[in-house]
Amino acid sequence: MEQRFDGARDVRRAEERLQRRLPEPLEDLAWISFNYLWSWTPGGEDLFNLIDAHRFELAGHNPVRFLLNLPERDLLRAATDREILDLLDRVASRMRAELDRPTSRVLSSGPVAFMCAEFAIHSSLPVYSGGLGVLAGDYLKEASDQGLDTVGVGLLYRRGYLHQRMDVSGWQHEFWEVMNTGQVPLVRVRGAHNQPIVVSVPVGEDDLLAQVWRVNVGRTALYLLDAELRENTALERWTTARLYEGSHEIRLAQYGLLGIGGVRALDAMGISPALYHMNEGHPALAALEVASRTAKELGGVRPDLAQLVSEGRDRFVFTTHTPVPAGNETYYADTFFSVLGRSVEQMGFSREEVAALARVNSSDAGEPLGLSPLAIKVSRSTNAVSERHGSVAREMWQPLFPGRSVDQVPITHVTNGVHLPTWMATPMRQLLSQFCGPDWERRSNDPTTWSHLDAISDLDLWAVRNQLRRHLIEMIRSKVSVDRLARGENVELASAGQRLFDPDVVTVGFARRLATYKRLDLLFHDPERLARIVREGPGLQLLISGKAHPLDEQGKAVAKSLFGVIRDYGLSDRVVFLEDYDLRIAPALVSGCDVWLNLPRPPLEASGTSGMKAAMNGVLNLSVLDGWWAEGFNSQNGWGISGTVESDPGAQDRRDADLLYRILEEEVKPLFSNRDLSGVPSAWLARVRDSLRTLSPTYSTTRMLADYNTEIYRTR
Ligand SMILES: *Cc1c(COP(=O)(O)O)cnc(C)c1O
């Protein structure tokens, strides 16, 4: 058997190094810290908080950094604290039991390699920007829970994604933080003679080198390629500095490294995937590298690329996430080959044959190149991420299948899901655990699991909803005060932040990318009406969060107008913008609001997943019938705004804003404030129950991964 240098041994060494710092009773903390399984194991987060919640917060909830920086006297104190040791014992045995369960293969010949440009595993590993990364992170966690032999392949961005700082006027500024890899639960993978594994990919005139890091995500491993090596020039090192750079050259270098370098890294580690799952088109060049290996194995006269690719199609599947042509970047052939021309030559292909594969119309030499058409052509299966997105994608990519009608375009869909143990807040999980039986999370895709909801009383369900809302309000009070100080507001306004919001008032959340198609501005289409909704009667409070791409001036302008409305209408105590939306604040937002808004211009939302997180916490969705909500909404389990596509966007905005306001005025506010004798809004809770029962079994990664297994992976 070939030797595997898969980094498992390197992780053990890192654990041992950390362990030496710890008093003997705390030794288990070392291996726990090097496996993100702690973050979705009950008690995991509590364990670190119990040791020192404030320092854990200061360490960015990163257990390795936390333990490395904890003063010795605190370690010694923790080592004699019965409560801490008991919890440590429970968490360690839960995690051990989980890690000891055997894994199985979906395909007998090897693991599935899940390749993606970003992974959102945890806030302490900032190599993600948003929804695509969350999906990839949730996928790996679910693969671990289900014991499927899977590895993740991505890039280690040393500066991650942007942090957002608003100025007083509401204009977004960006900054980036540099990761200290010595204090993150990442381990450099070493090969023969203990030398770090390094792969090389020709980029431009030079060879770009990359080392490989391993992250333990439960029973799965995530491998991240990193160009921060002495041998690379400063410019080359920048390849893995930041996510989604504006420059096409940098992006192409990233995608070359991810696709070609990713296959080379797996090979160097002795891992031979049975299947490569390309999550979005970015890793599509992997197929060329695999084809080139096949050609070398065959020897003799090389078959042409088209034939190699068609023979290799069995090993690739592709998930597309973009419902607009503009989202599928294209590159001029000159740019493409100035970056990746030498790579193509090294793999033994001609530029013409690669260009033909990366064009919708292979014979149109003027057409720019795209990774999505390439990914579709090299894969045996392409799927969209919701039912509606499936039909949008079939129409969009019909030109790739001349002679077929839109309905016959071979693009299916697997609707996205979210990882329940990550996204369902602890109080809700504990409540359900009392009624749904042991290990109910593993049966969460079975509707009968959720029939036990009937046994939960309104009072208990309402108590959990109140607890989650209060927790959110505590979080925003401290965060908003600091946000206001940081942007230079006066101390008066900053300290008003500490009294923000009323824990008994219906709380509405909107958190997503500040791209214009997300239509945050619908909310303040008629600012006067919004102000009345917020102020009159029982009132309503509104939380908004999201980042604009640094180059998206229009997206930034929307946030600025919002700040203007808040100021002009004196709404700063009831309408609040939370800076720097990311994995740190998302869990409290999606669980603590009462209503979750999504207002995309249809059909531009491929799926959306934050509403799924909200639903499993008993939050009601109020959303345009696009993406997942077009299939999830049943008229009882939330609210829907028409998803029809209209030719006049202005008229559509007026109509949709009016309906949004009416739902808030006539349904949300009255239903929430109409209480029975025990103070419970029973009609509201009836909807919450309906939402939990109808949505939770379906919109989880448990169902999603089962679908991938049966419909995409095991189809031959
Ligand atoms: C879930 C999540 C997203 C994706 O949510 P959408 O509904 O697709 O906008 C983006 N960012 C963060 C931080 C998330 O947690």
Side-chain angles (χ1 to χ4, degrees):
M1 196 183 138
E2 236 185 287
Q3 199 170 358
R4 268 171 79 110
F5 296 111
D6 63 3
R9 189 194 46 176
D10 306 299
V11 176
R12 277 194 300 277
R13 283 192 195 148
E15 291 166 3
E16 284 160 19
R17 272 197 304 280
L18 179 59
Q19 192 181 312
R20 274 181 236 127
R21 249 211 115 227
L22 304 175
E24 197 262 344
L26 298 180
E27 278 182 351
D28 281 337
L29 280 174
W31 65 266
I32 289 175
S33 300
F34 272 96
N35 194 324
Y36 274 112
L37 177 57
W38 70 264
S39 69
W40 75 94
T41 297
E45 174 112 31
D46 300 338
L47 175 59
F48 296 105
N49 281 330
L50 205 54
I51 298 173
D52 190 331
H54 183 230
R55 280 180 190 274
F56 191 50
E57 167 92 42
L58 287 177
H61 298 110
N62 165 358
V64 172
R65 184 168 149 203
F66 172 65
L67 292 175
L68 285 174
N69 293 297
L70 202 64
E72 197 174 337
R73 76 184 128 76
D74 291 328
L75 284 170
L76 291 171
R77 180 189 45 76
T80 58
D81 183 321
R82 216 43 275 162
E83 199 187 348
I84 291 174
L85 295 179
D86 285 348
L87 184 56
L88 172 57
D89 203 44
R90 282 202 300 280
V91 171
S93 46
R94 278 184 194 132
M95 282 178 65
R96 226 178 250 123
E98 181 62 18
L99 296 172
D100 285 348
R101 286 199 300 135
T103 57
S104 60
R105 285 196 162 157
V106 192
L107 301 159
S108 55
S109 54
V112 173
F114 190 82
M115 306 182 83
C116 188
E118 51 171 306
F119 285 88
I121 306 291
H122 189 257
S123 59
S124 60
L125 186 64
V127 293
Y128 66 91
S129 81
L132 183 70
V134 173
L135 185 82
D138 281 7
Y139 172 101
L140 283 190
K141 293 174 184 176
E142 184 68 38
S144 166
D145 291 350
Q146 296 191 18
L148 300 174
D149 192 6
T150 309
V151 296
V153 180
L155 299 178
L156 181 73
Y157 305 93
R158 296 275 184 144
R159 292 159 200 255
Y161 194 55
L162 69 94
H163 287 286
Q164 176 189 55
R165 174 103 282 155
M166 310 303 275
D167 64 23
V168 186
S169 79
W171 192 253
Q172 170 181 305
H173 301 261
E174 301 90 25
F175 64 97
W176 284 262
E177 277 176 325
V178 181
M179 182 189 294
N180 177 351
T181 47
Q183 299 205 339
V184 182
L186 292 169
V187 174
R188 197 189 331 244
V189 180
R190 292 172 183 275
H193 313 299
N194 216 24
Q195 291 303 304
I197 285 186
V198 172
V199 296
S200 157
V201 176
V203 166
E205 296 303 312
D206 241 318
D207 288 344
L208 177 69
L209 302 183
Q211 54 189 347
V212 185
W213 299 82
R214 174 175 168 137
V215 184
N216 279 348
V217 184
R219 286 181 283 175
T220 62
L222 168 61
Y223 295 104
L224 298 172
L225 279 74
D226 166 30
E228 187 62 47
L229 284 172
R230 188 178 301 124
E231 295 81 353
N232 288 329
T233 64
L235 219 65
E236 287 167 341
R237 287 181 215 148
W238 194 261
T239 307
T240 52
R242 306 197 299 205
L243 282 116
Y244 304 122
E245 288 282 7
S247 145
H248 277 183
E249 283 82 358
I250 296 173
R251 287 203 186 195
L252 284 167
Q254 292 180 331
Y255 305 150
L257 186 59
L258 175 64
I260 303 165
V263 173
R264 291 180 183 174
L266 291 173
D267 186 64
M269 293 186 287
I271 299 171
S272 336
L275 190 72
Y276 297 88
H277 184 162
M278 302 185 288
N279 195 41
E280 196 55 306
H282 310 126
L285 294 162
L288 301 186
E289 173 64 10
V290 169
S292 131
R293 282 161 190 268
T294 311
K296 284 191 190 106
E297 281 160 22
L298 290 175
V301 186
R302 183 177 77 73
D304 67 12
L305 177 58
Q307 192 186 334
L308 282 167
V309 158
S310 102
E311 281 166 16
R313 276 165 60 100
D314 251 11
R315 297 180 64 190
F316 289 90
V317 298
F318 171 46
T319 299
T320 173
H321 291 259
T322 320
V324 265
N328 295 279
E329 290 152 46
T330 55
Y331 311 91
Y332 292 118
D334 283 351
T335 316
F336 188 92
F337 291 112
S338 74
V339 180
L340 293 167
R342 284 182 48 253
S343 262
V344 165
E345 278 155 30
Q346 188 196 54
M347 290 186 285
F349 305 123
S350 75
R351 294 177 179 207
E352 290 68 33
E353 54 186 351
V354 169
L357 267 185
R359 288 185 173 122
V360 176
N361 177 356
S362 315
S363 51
D364 177 358
E367 191 189 310
L369 314 188
L371 292 173
S372 295
L374 177 67
I376 293 174
K377 290 187 197 178
V378 300
S379 300
R380 73 159 141 92
S381 145
T382 295
N383 72 277
V385 291
S386 71
E387 189 179 348
R388 178 162 191 192
H389 179 219
S391 56
V392 172
R394 283 189 288 280
E395 189 171 333
M396 189 163 97
W397 295 112
Q398 191 277 333
L400 269 171
F401 303 91
R404 294 206 198 199
S405 67
V406 168
D407 289 346
Q408 294 169 328
V409 168
I411 298 180
T412 55
H413 75 272
V414 171
T415 304
N416 282 344
V418 296
H419 184 239
L420 183 144
T422 296
W423 292 106
M424 185 183 278
T426 305
M428 188 58 113
R429 232 173 135 181
Q430 282 170 342
L431 178 66
L432 289 166
S433 295
Q434 292 170 29
F435 294 90
C436 298
D439 272 345
W440 69 275
E441 283 104 333
R442 286 194 212 296
R443 293 176 284 109
S444 67
N445 61 336
D446 177 354
T448 55
T449 303
W450 299 89
S451 63
H452 297 287
L453 274 170
D454 296 341
I456 300 178
S457 73
D458 268 3
L459 269 177
D460 286 345
L461 186 56
W462 187 235
V464 166
R465 289 298 321 141
N466 286 330
Q467 188 183 349
L468 293 173
R469 188 181 325 96
R470 272 196 298 274
H471 173 75
L472 168 67
I473 291 177
E474 267 169 43
M475 185 276 275
I476 65 166
R477 284 180 175 169
S478 52
K479 182 164 168 40
V480 167
S481 307
V482 173
D483 282 356
R484 286 179 177 174
L485 287 174
R487 77 172 84 108
E489 305 272 18
N490 62 39
V491 174
E492 212 174 313
L493 192 65
S495 56
Q498 307 206 290
R499 296 180 300 276
L500 272 179
F501 278 29
D502 180 338
D504 294 322
V505 169
V506 65
T507 304
V508 177
F510 178 105
R512 46 201 71 254
R513 216 149 30 89
L514 293 180
T516 41
Y517 83 85
K518 301 276 190 182
R519 294 197 300 176
L520 167 62
D521 49 352
L522 276 199
L523 265 172
F524 49 94
H525 197 264
D526 179 349
E528 224 147 294
R529 191 160 169 196
L530 174 70
R532 277 202 307 277
I533 292 172
V534 163
R535 290 270 172 244
E536 279 178 6
L540 176 146
Q541 44 206 15
L542 191 53
L543 268 174
I544 296 152
S545 196
K547 296 170 179 173
H549 189 276
L551 301 176
D552 182 4
E553 302 269 314
Q554 280 181 307
K556 291 185 180 183
V558 174
K560 189 172 162 147
S561 328
L562 170 72
F563 271 59
V565 169
I566 294 174
R567 194 182 45 237
D568 296 348
Y569 290 81
L571 299 176
S572 66
D573 59 333
R574 281 280 169 101
V575 181
V576 160
F577 187 88
L578 283 181
E579 292 185 16
D580 212 24
Y581 179 48
D582 67 2
L583 282 188
R584 266 176 320 136
I585 65 171
L589 279 170
V590 296
S591 61
C593 291
D594 299 292
V595 176
W596 195 251
L597 283 183
N598 193 13
L599 306 168
R601 180 178 306 290
L604 300 185
E605 186 77 293
S607 167
T609 52
S610 57
M612 303 173 183
K613 303 166 191 168
M616 57 176 60
N617 283 292
V619 178
L620 295 175
N621 278 276
L622 192 182
S623 175
V624 169
L625 294 167
D626 196 14
W628 81 285
W629 194 232
E631 65 198 82
F633 179 58
N634 72 357
S635 84
Q636 302 295 314
N637 56 4
W639 293 274
I641 292 175
S642 162
T644 53
V645 178
E646 305 220 351
S647 50
D648 178 354
Q652 185 173 30
D653 288 354
R654 275 192 300 281
R655 186 200 64 194
D656 292 353
D658 181 59
L659 184 55
L660 167 66
Y661 291 138
R662 266 199 292 139
I663 293 172
L664 293 176
E665 288 159 348
E666 293 169 16
E667 309 234 359
V668 169
K669 284 173 68 176
L671 265 186
F672 188 87
S673 50
N674 196 348
R675 305 298 169 90
D676 67 15
L677 290 176
S678 44
V680 169
S682 43
W684 182 274
L685 288 181
R687 279 192 192 236
V688 169
R689 286 172 190 279
D690 203 65
S691 164
L692 280 166
R693 184 170 40 235
T694 57
L695 302 172
S696 309
T698 305
Y699 298 100
S700 71
T701 41
T702 309
R703 187 274 312 153
M704 178 184 88
L705 205 58
D707 283 356
Y708 274 113
N709 281 334
T710 54
E711 290 166 29
I712 307 289
Y713 296 162
R714 271 200 211 113
T715 49
R716 54 194 65 214

